[in-house]
Amino acid sequence: MSDNNNKIRILTEIVYNALRTVLKSENYAIYGVIVGSMSSGKTTLALTLASIFKRMFSDSKCYITQNLDYLTSIDKLDGKYVAIVFDDVSNRIRRFSNELTNIYTVRHKGLDTINKNIFMLFNCHYLRSIAPFIRSAPLRALTSISEAEIKAYTNEYLFTTSVLWDYLYYVNKYPDKFITLISVRGKERIIDVTNVILNECEILE
């Protein structure tokens, strides 16, 4: 139990660092992206991070959905502090898409009218399945890695080459563990989050 508590402490520090520059703002919207192969733990990690956000504030809620239409109705969700996981968005948020426009609106223009503090997480299977704006999120996480993917991540300047090779090493050495690589505002960490599951999120259809 103490080992899991330490892992949750580390993840809480990561969420805090993602929010650090906006915590004094009355309203803000921060977003993150989690990339990994099928059944690699993307949803588990996203639910855990969203639940940690919920625990950090009073009048807070966290949700999970595959319905991107909720981007246009976040203001109607309960809670002053809202974490929302958009699960499996591969190939659904592309350049010039309505969905990307809606994210821009929430992120840059809609805060005064939405009147909430928002933490959005987007899960997808591979890097090229989402628009560059989402790829370059302040919080980026991988739940799987292959040698072929290292060049793509390096070319996009999303992670440093050395940490990607280190991550591949640990993933291959410990295939039965849930190991993630998380970058928050340029600070990269490889974390063993095996057996860490927090889910306080409501399901939105």
Side-chain angles (χ1 to χ4, degrees):
M1 180 64 71
S2 60
D3 183 48
N4 277 4
N5 288 340
N6 186 54
K7 293 174 183 177
I8 291 172
R9 180 191 62 77
I10 292 171
L11 291 174
T12 301
E13 180 183 326
I14 285 170
V15 173
Y16 175 83
N17 285 336
L19 302 172
R20 180 167 43 84
T21 61
V22 297
L23 281 175
K24 293 183 179 180
S25 304
E26 184 176 351
N27 299 303
Y28 59 77
I30 291 291
Y31 66 103
V33 60
I34 300 175
V35 183
S37 59
M38 188 175 295
S39 302
S40 63
K42 297 184 299 297
T43 302
T44 298
L45 179 62
L47 288 171
T48 298
L49 294 175
S51 297
I52 287 172
F53 176 90
K54 177 178 178 289
R55 291 182 175 189
M56 290 172 67
F57 305 99
S58 59
D59 190 16
S60 59
K61 292 281 189 177
C62 64
Y63 304 91
I64 182 169
T65 185
Q66 292 188 1
N67 188 349
L68 289 167
D69 289 343
Y70 280 101
L71 286 165
T72 62
S73 57
I74 288 179
D75 59 318
K76 296 180 175 62
L77 298 176
D78 291 338
K80 169 66 175 175
Y81 294 86
V82 174
I84 182 164
V85 176
F86 291 99
D87 205 23
D88 193 12
V89 300
S90 300
N91 296 312
R92 295 197 290 143
I93 304 177
R94 311 295 294 188
R95 284 183 176 179
F96 313 115
S97 66
N98 290 334
E99 290 79 10
L100 186 58
T101 299
N102 292 336
I103 295 169
Y104 282 136
T105 300
V106 174
R107 177 69 180 86
H108 294 294
K109 299 177 182 178
L111 297 182
D112 291 337
T113 56
I114 292 173
N115 193 32
K116 291 182 183 294
N117 300 286
I118 302 161
F119 181 40
M120 299 179 288
L121 289 168
F122 300 93
N123 293 350
C124 63
H125 291 131
Y126 57 97
L127 186 67
R128 295 289 182 176
S129 68
I130 50 173
F133 176 75
I134 304 299
R135 293 179 214 159
S136 59
L139 186 155
R140 303 185 289 272
L142 300 181
T143 55
S144 66
I145 188 69
S146 68
E147 187 171 336
E149 291 174 309
I150 289 178
K151 183 177 180 180
Y153 291 127
T154 303
N155 288 346
E156 294 280 347
Y157 302 103
L158 300 182
F159 299 93
T160 58
T161 304
S162 59
V163 79
L164 287 167
W165 283 108
D166 288 344
Y167 181 48
L168 179 65
Y169 168 80
Y170 285 111
V171 167
N172 288 337
K173 184 175 181 178
Y174 303 104
D176 296 328
K177 291 185 178 292
F178 179 16
I179 300 175
T180 182
L181 167 59
I182 301 180
S183 174
V184 177
R185 304 187 185 282
K187 183 177 181 180
E188 300 167 319
R189 300 181 73 166
I190 297 171
I191 309 167
D192 177 3
V193 289
T194 308
N195 298 325
V196 176
I197 301 174
L198 293 179
N199 183 7
E200 301 177 3
C201 298
E202 299 176 25
I203 299 173
L204 299 174
E205 300 298 335

